[in-house]
Amino acid sequence: MSEGGNSTITRNRRARYDYDIVDTIEAGLVLTGTEIKSIRDRKVSLSDSYARPADGEMWLHNLHIDEYAPAHRNNHDPKRPRKLLLHRDQIHQLTRQVDQRGLTLVPLRLYIRNHKAKLELAVARGKKRFDKRRALIEREREREARAAIGARRY
């Protein structure tokens, strides 16, 4: 895909399994030069990462960006907290939702748009174990129904 377009670098597939997604929002990331180079090389992992408000700003924790090999000693810390770029009213709204309703902020997807790294951030509610089992059963039923419909066509 073209760098100027909308190319997905990585997805957090586990997030949709563990959480009910309430809302999504796009955020920019404050990155160093070696971090963006590693992201463009797709050496990044969203698993176990989350966002948290602090001092009127939004921070992304546990996003793992591998060190950029050619940088040697000028590299970044792979798991450092990274600041998210959001409007002030968006930060206040997200902070209110997290504090009042017991929701959490989970990254769903990291992508490049117009040569800038963007993060799709979800306001989510954690699923209980029985909810996860129910979702698996429903998904299996849908898959079987689609297979049965497909078999009838031929």
Side-chain angles (χ1 to χ4, degrees):
M1 283 187 235
S2 69
E3 287 294 320
N6 189 355
S7 64
T8 299
I9 302 299
T10 186
R11 292 183 183 277
N12 188 353
R13 295 176 57 193
R14 185 88 184 161
R16 294 197 186 269
Y17 176 74
D18 288 338
Y19 298 96
D20 284 324
I21 308 302
V22 176
D23 192 19
T24 61
I25 192 166
E26 180 184 78
L29 287 157
V30 176
L31 301 168
T32 64
T34 56
E35 288 175 331
I36 190 66
K37 289 179 181 189
S38 287
I39 287 174
R40 289 181 193 278
D41 286 344
R42 300 179 186 277
K43 304 218 177 190
V44 61
S45 173
L46 287 175
S47 63
D48 298 329
S49 59
Y50 60 95
R52 179 183 290 165
D55 299 326
E57 297 176 335
M58 193 64 67
W59 292 86
L60 184 65
H61 299 273
N62 288 346
L63 173 68
H64 182 84
I65 301 175
D66 280 347
E67 290 183 348
Y68 186 62
H72 297 293
R73 63 178 171 215
N74 297 328
N75 252 315
H76 58 275
D77 178 21
K79 285 241 182 193
R80 75 174 181 89
R82 291 165 179 91
K83 185 176 176 181
L84 295 176
L85 301 174
L86 293 163
H87 293 284
R88 187 178 302 133
D89 58 330
Q90 290 174 322
I91 292 172
H92 291 309
Q93 177 187 2
L94 292 172
T95 303
R96 215 171 316 126
Q97 286 181 334
V98 169
D99 290 342
Q100 291 177 353
R101 293 202 244 155
L103 301 173
T104 188
L105 300 171
V106 180
L108 295 178
R109 176 171 77 110
L110 181 67
Y111 57 97
I112 304 285
R113 188 166 118 210
N114 297 329
H115 306 286
K116 292 176 178 67
K118 300 287 182 176
L119 186 74
E120 184 179 6
L121 194 63
V123 179
R125 179 176 293 111
K127 286 184 183 178
K128 304 288 187 225
R129 183 178 291 168
F130 61 86
D131 290 335
K132 294 177 189 178
R133 283 192 299 247
R134 187 176 303 137
L136 286 173
I137 291 168
E138 288 175 11
R139 197 174 317 136
E140 185 63 32
R141 285 182 184 158
E142 289 176 15
R143 188 177 301 131
E144 289 172 358
R146 274 186 263 135
I149 291 171
R152 280 190 241 152
R153 287 187 192 164
Y154 299 108

